[in-house]
Amino acid sequence: MGNALRLLYSHCCKPTTAGDSQGKDGVSALSHDLFQFDITSQVPEGLSYHVVSSKKAQANWYRKLLDAWREAKPPPKTPEEASSLVIQTLKRHQKADVKGLLAYYGLPQQSSASATTSLPQGVKFELQTLPVDTKAVPDGDTITVYVSTTDPRESLNVPRDVQSAADQRSRARAAKNYTKADELHKKIIDSGYRVLNLQNQEILARKYRIRLRGIDAPESSMPYGKEAKEELVKLVQGKCLRVLVYDEDQYGRCVGDIYCDGKFVQEVMLKKGLAWHYSAYDQRVELATWEKQARAKRVGLWATSNPEKPWEWRKDKRQGR
């Protein structure tokens, strides 16, 4: 192993359990785990409870981090320096995994360079979701997502009774008392949370319903309603999403912009003619432009001369027409 890593490990305080480490102890714990990985090729056992990727993927991260740590001159000594190294080294990996790794070691979620990047004006908060299930897409402009409670925004806000029920459920399953475990999971679900099994690891996650901001897709029973849903499923299934939340609608859904694999989801839906620009609630010029482009090409719902507007369809339904 490189001298830099050995030197830092020898000068840091006694290693602690990574999940319990904070600040400088987190730097010590990370350097200790890299030291151990170099010897055993094994990643920490508890890490899988904080990230969504497999053990094989985790080993790949540690190889990259080990190389980066060796090359750092001088090696990271503060939580901010260690966080920056992790973020830069793993910048091409899933954000949920990077955030989970930082949370595991109690390191800051942003490096000093990225901390200066502000969210767009009007954004109330940002969500980094777990992979989206196909069944979580009911139509072309709504998605149900889950965010791990290891996320810094969520970790301090988990209701005590939900965390207690999750702990009791784990013990019940270990004792093969599945009836009790199911009862406890129902309590968790009723509270707006769920225990998800990802990569053979159970993760407590919070549920959010997202209404795509600025577009209105055909309802399921309308022409192109099925196609709109299928396209949205194709875009997001199995993917971790970045959601910028601007508001909450009358149904309790978060109204937000959704990004997936570098794509702006609303842009794709509009350009494929599978949604209207919802101009009554959103005046962004680019959304209007993408709708006009689809109209000109006569793609999707614009293949017909006068497609019915979904908001007028809903109004007629409410009035019994």
Side-chain angles (χ1 to χ4, degrees):
M1 166 174 278
N3 290 334
L5 189 57
R6 289 184 184 277
L7 208 60
L8 177 60
Y9 178 65
S10 64
H11 282 84
C12 282
C13 54
K14 183 179 179 181
T16 60
T17 302
D20 297 328
S21 60
Q22 294 291 332
K24 185 62 180 288
D25 285 347
V27 181
S28 168
L30 177 55
S31 65
H32 169 261
D33 288 344
L34 291 173
F35 182 90
Q36 292 299 317
F37 179 80
D38 191 47
I39 298 170
T40 66
S41 297
Q42 298 295 313
V43 299
E45 281 297 323
L47 181 60
S48 292
Y49 291 101
H50 295 260
V51 299
V52 298
S53 291
S54 66
K55 290 269 189 176
K56 182 178 180 180
Q58 294 168 32
N60 183 37
W61 308 339
Y62 275 72
R63 277 191 290 272
K64 291 182 178 181
L65 289 170
L66 182 59
D67 290 342
W69 206 291
R70 284 170 168 165
E71 294 171 3
K73 299 182 185 303
K77 294 182 180 180
T78 68
E80 290 73 22
E81 290 172 351
S83 176
S84 180
L85 182 140
V86 170
I87 292 171
Q88 290 301 313
T89 304
L90 303 181
K91 62 185 178 182
R92 295 186 182 278
H93 295 265
Q94 293 187 44
K95 288 186 178 180
D97 282 326
V98 177
K99 294 180 77 171
L101 181 64
L102 292 172
Y104 179 68
Y105 287 106
L107 297 173
Q109 290 292 322
Q110 292 182 311
S111 66
S112 56
S114 63
T116 58
T117 304
S118 59
L119 293 173
Q121 185 176 2
V123 174
K124 292 185 176 179
F125 56 89
E126 176 181 352
L127 300 175
Q128 297 284 347
T129 80
L130 294 169
V132 176
D133 186 85
T134 303
K135 297 178 182 178
V137 182
D139 53 43
D141 54 32
T142 307
I143 306 174
T144 295
V145 301
Y146 287 89
V147 177
S148 171
T149 54
T150 62
D151 184 286
R153 184 176 178 274
E154 303 294 341
S155 60
L156 298 177
N157 298 311
V158 182
R160 186 173 300 176
D161 60 336
V162 171
Q163 188 62 63
S164 175
D167 294 341
Q168 292 177 52
R169 177 182 177 276
S170 295
R171 291 194 292 271
R173 287 181 61 82
K176 297 185 178 181
N177 187 347
Y178 299 117
T179 299
K180 182 178 180 181
D182 290 344
E183 291 174 353
L184 289 164
H185 198 205
K186 183 179 184 305
K187 179 180 179 181
I188 292 168
I189 292 171
D190 290 344
S191 299
Y193 290 78
R194 183 180 288 270
V195 178
L196 303 176
N197 190 299
L198 299 172
Q199 302 287 347
N200 294 319
Q201 298 292 336
E202 292 197 329
I203 298 174
L204 178 63
R206 183 177 176 182
K207 175 182 177 181
Y208 288 90
R209 293 174 63 224
I210 310 297
R211 174 65 166 82
L212 275 66
R213 176 175 174 248
I215 69 171
D216 199 2
E219 300 294 334
S220 298
S221 58
M222 294 177 65
Y224 289 94
K226 179 182 177 182
E227 289 83 351
K229 175 183 175 178
E230 289 175 347
E231 180 62 29
L232 187 54
V233 168
K234 179 182 174 182
L235 283 168
V236 304
Q237 65 177 341
K239 306 291 182 59
C240 295
L241 310 179
R242 180 188 184 216
V243 185
L244 301 181
V245 177
Y246 286 79
D247 205 353
E248 182 177 302
D249 70 10
Q250 60 182 323
Y251 304 107
R253 299 175 298 187
C254 295
V255 179
D257 288 342
I258 297 182
Y259 298 86
C260 177
D261 287 345
K263 298 177 183 178
F264 180 29
V265 172
Q266 283 99 309
E267 177 181 355
V268 176
M269 297 298 289
L270 286 167
K271 285 184 173 180
K272 292 199 172 185
L274 295 173
W276 297 71
H277 172 212
Y278 212 173
S279 57
Y281 296 95
D282 191 302
Q283 286 76 48
R284 283 179 285 180
V285 174
E286 61 270 30
L287 271 65
T289 299
W290 295 328
E291 182 191 291
K292 289 177 182 177
Q293 291 172 351
R295 282 176 180 259
K297 294 177 181 178
R298 301 185 69 81
V299 296
L301 62 92
W302 305 115
T304 58
S305 59
N306 188 28
E308 186 175 10
K309 301 175 179 65
W311 54 90
E312 292 182 352
W313 184 91
R314 289 192 295 268
K315 182 178 179 182
D316 288 344
K317 284 293 182 180
R318 286 194 298 269
Q319 294 176 353
R321 295 178 187 174

